């Protein structure tokens, strides 16, 4: 796999987002299935694994620790703090003492002495970003984390944080159908030498081409977070489905799967972009990693951009309450 720079680390251009092994998209896979997928990822050369305290309220970090700790020297480990489960509810808390406590808990769950890349999962607006990043800087000095990242922040917030301590990565949703990063933060990352880690690079499954009817969305598990996302509801989803025929045709023309087309498009947007698709299936894992070998010609990319962009996709990516919790720029 081609290599890209993630702060002080060199990692495979395509990493593994581990969230849906424990969280977010309905019933998680059985433990043996999740463990098999993580081991297969290692075998295939994945060197960037991404988790968070939030995912499964600690269960995902525990899973990675149990399975991957014996191979710790073979990969870059990223996790996140500042958004966790408290008494069964999701809580955003960026106070320095909370971030430090969460890190200690994460180190135990991950069965490691140091976390390579530790993100502030959400900026807690009740706490100056300088205070939260200052706490993370202290964790660097103490040798508990190696590098600092931010998730779902604006270019302005990134610059404020970067002035306190170097930020090596920003993680935000980015794909053909979610272009908010193109407003400012993607370029800010380029200017500052910060890696941009793209989560949900396959549009939460939409760009994989498997969701083709409203009935499939109606059948989502009650715990599937897409149930609350406007793009998957009613008229917006019906309008988005009309984009699929042309998109699938472009994937056939490119000689790849729809998911590979979405990932290849991202990889060609910039050398500082590192997608982290997630999956619960080994065949999808293998398919995703092969996207690193695909090169799209300029004409096909132009037609992709014309077909799927912020003007043609219907519905915001988050409901209003969730949108209010994040700091990313909005069109």
């Amino acid at each position: 796999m081609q290599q890209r720079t993630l702060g002080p680390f060199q990692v495979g251009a395509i990493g593994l987002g581990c969230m849906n092994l424990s969280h977010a998209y309905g019933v998680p896979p059985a433990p043996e299935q999740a463990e098999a997928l993580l081991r297969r990822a290692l075998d295939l050369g994945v060197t960037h694994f991404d988790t968070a305290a939030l995912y499964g309220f600690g269960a995902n970090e525990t899973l990675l620790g149990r399975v991957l700790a014996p191979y710790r020297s073979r990969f870059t480990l990223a996790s996140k703090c500042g958004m966790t489960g408290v008494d069964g509810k999701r809580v955003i808390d960026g106070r320095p003492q909370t971030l430090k406590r969460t890190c200690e808990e994460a180190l135990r769950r991950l069965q490691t002495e140091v976390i390579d890349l530790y993100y502030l999962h959400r900026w807690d607006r009740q706490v100056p970003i300088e205070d939260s990043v200052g706490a993370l800087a202290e964790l660097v000095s103490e040798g508990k984390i190696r590098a600092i990242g931010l998730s779902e922040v604006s270019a302005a917030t990134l610059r404020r944080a970067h002035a306190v301590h170097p930020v090596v990565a920003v993680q935000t949703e980015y794909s053909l159908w979610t272009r908010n990063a193109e407003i400012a933060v993607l370029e800010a990352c380029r200017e500052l030498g910060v890696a941009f880690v793209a989560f949900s690079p396959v549009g939460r499954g939409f760009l994989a081409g498997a969701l083709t009817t409203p009935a499939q969305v109606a059948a989502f598990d009650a715990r599937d977070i897409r149930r609350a996302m406007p793009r998957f509801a009613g008229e917006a989803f019906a309008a988005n489905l009309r984009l699929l025929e042309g998109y699938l045709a472009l994937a056939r023309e490119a000689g790849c799967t729809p998911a590979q087309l979405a990932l290849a498009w991202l990889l060609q947007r910039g050398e500082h972009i590192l997608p982290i698709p997630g999956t619960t299936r080994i065949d999808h894992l293998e398919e995703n990693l092969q996207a690193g070998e695909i090169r799209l010609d300029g004409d096909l990319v132009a037609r992709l951009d014309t077909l799927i962009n912020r003007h043609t996709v219907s519905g915001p990516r988050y409901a209003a309450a969730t949108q209010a919790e994040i700091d990313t720029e909005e069109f």
Side-chain angles (χ1 to χ4, degrees):
M1 189 191 301
Q2 61 175 285
Q3 300 293 294
R4 293 198 169 177
T5 300
L6 181 63
F9 315 106
Q10 290 295 304
V11 299
I14 300 174
L16 181 64
C18 299
M19 178 179 74
N20 57 355
L21 296 177
S22 308
H23 187 86
Y25 294 118
V27 179
E32 57 270 21
Q33 180 182 344
E35 292 169 10
L37 185 133
L38 291 171
R39 291 195 178 93
R40 181 59 177 154
L42 267 182
D43 291 343
L44 292 170
V46 172
T47 53
H48 176 198
F49 290 83
D50 182 275
T51 182
L54 177 71
Y55 304 159
F57 293 2
N60 200 245
E61 287 181 328
T62 299
L63 169 68
L64 266 65
R66 182 173 70 249
V67 177
L68 299 182
Y71 315 100
R72 184 65 184 85
S73 63
R74 292 171 51 183
F75 62 90
T76 295
L77 176 62
S79 193
K80 309 178 194 72
C81 61
M83 185 161 65
T84 57
V86 178
D87 297 328
K89 296 181 180 180
R90 180 174 60 85
V91 172
I92 296 174
D93 185 348
R95 292 174 297 172
Q97 62 268 32
T98 301
L99 303 185
K100 290 182 177 182
R101 186 187 72 246
T102 303
C103 181
E104 295 292 346
E105 294 166 351
L107 289 168
R108 289 193 294 271
R109 288 192 292 256
L110 291 163
Q111 299 183 37
T112 186
E113 295 181 353
V114 61
I115 298 168
D116 297 315
L117 173 57
Y118 206 41
Y119 293 91
L120 184 66
H121 204 160
R122 291 289 186 274
W123 174 30
D124 178 354
R125 297 174 190 271
Q126 304 303 309
V127 180
I129 190 66
E130 292 82 358
D131 291 358
S132 295
V133 172
L136 297 181
E138 291 178 14
L139 291 173
V140 173
S141 298
E142 294 167 6
K144 294 176 181 178
I145 67 175
R146 291 196 169 102
I148 294 172
L150 301 174
S151 179
E152 294 275 40
V153 296
S154 65
T157 301
L158 167 60
R159 293 183 191 280
R160 286 174 56 191
H162 197 69
V164 175
H165 187 280
V167 174
V168 307
V170 167
Q171 183 174 142
T172 292
E173 184 175 358
Y174 187 36
S175 69
L176 272 163
W177 87 333
T178 297
R179 305 292 195 100
N180 306 72
E182 295 174 359
I183 299 172
V185 76
L186 196 61
E187 183 56 32
C189 285
R190 194 193 316 271
E191 292 173 8
L192 296 171
V194 174
F196 185 95
V197 177
F199 75 77
S200 297
V202 189
R204 302 186 186 275
F206 182 82
L207 297 174
L211 295 173
T212 59
T213 68
Q216 289 172 291
V217 172
F220 283 161
D221 185 87
R223 290 169 288 180
D224 194 313
I225 61 175
R226 291 172 294 183
R227 280 188 168 274
M229 292 181 172
R231 290 182 183 174
F232 291 94
E235 293 181 3
F237 185 65
N240 291 330
L241 283 178
R242 291 194 284 272
L243 301 172
L244 271 186
E245 182 178 355
Y247 179 70
L248 298 178
L250 288 172
R252 290 191 295 270
E253 182 179 335
C256 63
T257 69
Q260 289 171 342
L261 181 62
L263 292 168
W265 176 86
L266 260 179
L267 290 171
Q268 290 184 207
R269 300 298 283 182
E271 288 294 320
H272 66 311
I273 297 173
L274 297 89
I276 50 168
T279 183
T280 61
R281 289 174 46 174
I282 287 176
D283 57 337
H284 287 171
L285 169 70
E286 294 169 345
E287 173 189 335
N288 291 341
L289 296 179
Q290 290 166 5
E293 303 169 10
I294 296 167
R295 297 295 177 270
L296 305 176
D297 67 50
D299 175 69
L300 191 141
V301 169
R303 284 182 284 149
L304 261 179
D305 284 327
T306 299
L307 178 68
I308 302 180
N309 58 65
R310 73 179 185 92
H311 298 292
T312 62
V313 173
S314 296
R317 66 183 179 120
Y318 287 135
T322 303
Q323 184 60 48
E325 296 177 343
I326 63 175
D327 180 51
T328 48
E329 291 91 353
E330 293 300 309
F331 289 107

